[in-house]
Amino acid sequence: MLTTWWGSILPLDLAEHVMNLMYESLFIGGEWVTPSSSATIDVISPNTEQSIGRVPEALEPDVDAAVVAARKAFDDPTGWANWAPERRANAIEHFAAALDARADEMPIRVSSQNGMPIAISSRVENVMPQTMLRYYADMLRTGEIEFDSERKGVLGRIRVSRRPVGVVGAIVPWNVPQTIGAHKYGPALAMGCTLVIKPSPETVLDAMLFAEAAEEAQLPAGVINIVPGGARTGAYLVEHPGVDKLSFTGSEKAGRWVAETAGRMLRPVTLELGGKAAAIVLDDADLTQNLEGFFMATMLNNGQSCYLGTRVLVPASRYGAVVDIITDFVRSLPVGDSLDPATRIGPLATARQQERVEGYIAKGTAEGARLTTGGGRPRELGWFVDPTVFADVDNHSTIGREEIFGPVLSIIKYTDDDAAVRIANDSPYGLGGTVWTSDVERGLSVASRIDTGVIGINGFLADPAAPFGGTKASGMGRELGPEGLEAYQVLQSTYLPR
């Protein structure tokens, strides 16, 4: 056994874990059903570039079946949407318990597919989904979710009712698939919605384990349906006339198309898209006392998280020293197999992502940034990229403006706090961010001026009770917290007799 940097205890031989999972059915309507075609998704390990599993690819007839099942479950007058809050809370708790029973296997499946270090997935992907489910179940039990209320109007009494929006099409990315999936189904289930969930083709083995938990929990047939697939499947789900609400997490480009399509169809949509957050190091900050927190806020999950502060803003008065601290720390990060508990930086999720990140590294060098560490491939086999730091980055350069989605930091010099705020806000995105300081009040003052949906002081850790989402090109709408329920509600006003 080994105690990792995150503090978890994991078996030493996980890196030798051999996976070869084959699924032949899709989870639709509460059952494992035969897919409409022989099309499959072959899952490739980012560590070894070898096949580790296969699942059916859901095509248009499968999506149709899933939407029909979700619609039937939602429209049932005695079904899920009409259950008493306490009964729905109990069912959600039972679902969380079924996921708990798979807590050992879930992080292995995730890390085997997308390269997330097991030390991270074992503290995130097998914990946060259940935490979110229980958070919303508690809200149901305590009455914090107000389904009906009365108010005094100008002309008489009014009842305002909050009803579930209906069938939800949820499109989940590959980078943190179980946790981001829970961002969507957690509040949707609490409100009484039914879901058709499309996992990314890069992370389908964990989605099938999730389906097994839903089956064990005996949620009503059709409440949760899983349709693994790529862009074709996702596009069909987005355009499906039987879907009432869309929730999408992914790239800005795809998100804009989803928004355009939803607009034409007059369909509500929540979008959580890209980011290029700033980590503002103030002149009184001591990063050496919080390098782990800095890592979690800037390079967690191999840099494959949209909220990370990959633009590091450093004051001119301390520039050289802070660049050295960051460079030395990043250079020290162990790179290795994602199933090795000692790994801090694992492989990227796909060969395409590896090529993308390497392309940005080449652009950074070509545009005049100074490479202080990294930039290469540490291994011939697997989709690895060395953790990389660029200094002397221009905020208007390619690596200063575009989302890289890999273990690459861009360090930008600023003169004073006002300049730091201007640089931080000079971005098409507004999702995450951090301020690093020894004076929390000063940090709060700077943070309040940053145009972003979420921001942390001396660290960043998303909390299920806090609304999460971005501004500008980072998306629209909010997930999590009580506010996350609003996306899955429709309002009805009833005018009562005077």
Side-chain angles (χ1 to χ4, degrees):
M1 304 294 283
L2 175 69
T3 302
T4 74
W5 64 275
W6 194 286
S8 59
I9 307 294
L10 296 167
L12 282 169
D13 60 352
L14 266 182
E16 300 176 4
H17 183 90
V18 177
M19 185 176 292
N20 188 28
L21 297 170
M22 301 293 177
Y23 285 87
E24 297 180 351
S25 304
L26 296 171
F27 187 71
I28 294 174
E31 298 178 332
W32 293 94
V33 300
T34 301
S36 65
S37 77
S38 60
T40 59
I41 298 171
D42 194 24
V43 182
I44 306 300
S45 165
N47 297 301
T48 67
E49 302 181 39
Q50 301 299 309
S51 176
I52 57 173
R54 184 176 297 124
V55 306
E57 181 179 11
L59 299 181
E60 288 86 345
D62 305 302
V63 175
D64 288 339
V67 172
V68 167
R71 172 61 58 195
K72 182 179 180 181
F74 182 77
D75 288 345
D76 183 349
T78 62
W80 181 254
N82 296 294
W83 282 12
E86 179 73 21
R87 185 182 179 190
R88 202 153 61 234
N90 290 339
I92 291 172
E93 283 274 10
H94 194 36
F95 188 23
L99 288 170
D100 284 341
R102 292 157 176 81
D104 291 338
E105 179 68 14
M106 188 65 80
I108 296 173
R109 292 203 185 188
V110 171
S111 293
S112 295
Q113 296 172 102
N114 69 1
M116 179 187 293
I118 193 74
I120 300 170
S121 62
S122 64
R123 289 295 188 183
V124 176
E125 292 288 78
N126 62 344
V127 176
M128 290 306 295
Q130 297 94 302
T131 300
M132 292 182 206
L133 285 172
R134 292 184 170 112
Y135 170 77
Y136 285 110
D138 286 344
M139 290 189 70
L140 284 169
R141 287 202 181 93
T142 59
E144 293 179 70
I145 302 177
E146 192 174 48
F147 291 96
D148 295 290
S149 62
E150 289 192 16
R151 67 182 64 166
K152 181 180 179 182
V154 175
L155 303 177
R157 292 184 302 129
I158 303 166
R159 169 172 287 188
V160 178
S161 301
R162 292 167 174 80
R163 299 291 184 250
V165 69
V167 175
V168 175
I171 299 178
V172 180
W174 50 257
N175 60 328
V176 197
Q178 288 302 307
T179 297
I180 294 177
H183 286 195
K184 305 176 189 311
Y185 66 72
L189 290 175
M191 278 306 304
C193 299
T194 59
L195 297 107
V196 178
I197 301 173
K198 190 207 81 68
S200 169
E202 286 79 19
T203 46
V204 290
L205 299 178
D206 59 300
M208 304 308 264
L209 188 64
F210 170 83
E212 291 171 13
E215 179 186 32
E216 179 184 304
Q218 296 183 325
L219 295 174
V223 169
I224 286 181
N225 308 272
I226 312 294
V227 287
R232 172 182 169 181
T233 305
Y236 190 74
L237 179 61
V238 167
E239 295 178 315
H240 203 289
V243 171
D244 301 305
K245 151 80 184 178
L246 293 165
S247 182
F248 172 85
T249 299
S251 71
E252 176 194 349
K253 180 180 179 181
R256 288 183 182 277
W257 178 83
V258 171
E260 291 169 1
T261 304
R264 289 196 307 273
M265 301 183 75
L266 298 179
R267 177 177 296 164
V269 60
T270 301
L271 301 173
E272 200 267 276
L273 309 177
K276 191 69 177 180
I280 303 173
V281 181
L282 298 183
D283 56 19
D284 63 350
D286 184 1
L287 287 185
T288 61
Q289 298 301 309
N290 195 9
L291 285 171
E292 296 298 340
F294 183 78
F295 172 83
M296 291 171 61
T298 59
M299 299 193 83
L300 190 71
N301 193 20
N302 314 327
Q304 297 177 142
S305 294
C306 46
Y307 63 80
L308 293 175
T310 54
R311 286 185 300 151
V312 184
L313 278 51
V314 175
S317 61
R318 298 186 55 204
Y319 189 75
V322 174
V323 168
D324 288 344
I325 291 170
I326 294 172
T327 298
D328 290 344
F329 177 67
V330 170
R331 186 182 291 127
S332 73
L333 297 172
V335 178
D337 190 298
S338 61
L339 295 179
D340 184 342
T343 291
R344 304 286 292 277
I345 300 291
L348 299 181
T350 64
R352 181 179 67 254
Q353 191 65 16
Q354 182 190 45
E355 292 172 1
R356 168 188 167 90
V357 172
E358 290 177 333
Y360 275 111
I361 291 172
K363 286 182 181 179
T365 301
E367 293 180 3
R370 175 165 57 94
L371 184 68
T372 67
T373 189
R377 289 189 182 186
R379 299 184 177 196
E380 293 184 7
L381 188 65
W383 300 318
F384 293 87
V385 173
D386 279 321
T388 300
V389 177
F390 280 103
D392 306 336
V393 175
D394 186 326
N395 193 55
H396 292 97
S397 67
T398 301
I399 64 170
R401 296 197 74 74
E402 297 183 12
E403 184 177 38
I404 298 174
F405 225 60
V408 181
L409 299 183
S410 300
I411 303 180
I412 301 169
K413 185 185 298 184
Y414 71 87
T415 54
D416 56 26
D417 289 4
D418 289 341
V421 170
R422 284 196 301 271
I423 294 169
N425 288 337
D426 184 10
S427 170
Y429 299 105
L431 181 57
T434 49
V435 180
W436 302 83
T437 178
S438 61
D439 183 343
V440 173
E441 290 304 315
R442 181 185 175 195
L444 286 169
S445 177
V446 171
S448 69
R449 299 166 62 191
I450 307 302
D451 185 4
T452 185
V454 289
I455 192 165
I457 309 297
N458 296 334
F460 189 104
L461 189 62
D463 192 301
F468 183 89
T471 63
K472 299 185 282 190
S474 288
M476 58 187 185
R478 293 294 181 268
E479 298 178 318
L480 304 184
E483 296 80 2
L485 293 162
E486 296 171 5
Y488 300 97
Q489 299 173 356
V490 289
L491 300 179
Q492 181 184 62
S493 296
T494 303
Y495 307 125
L496 302 174
R498 298 181 68 177

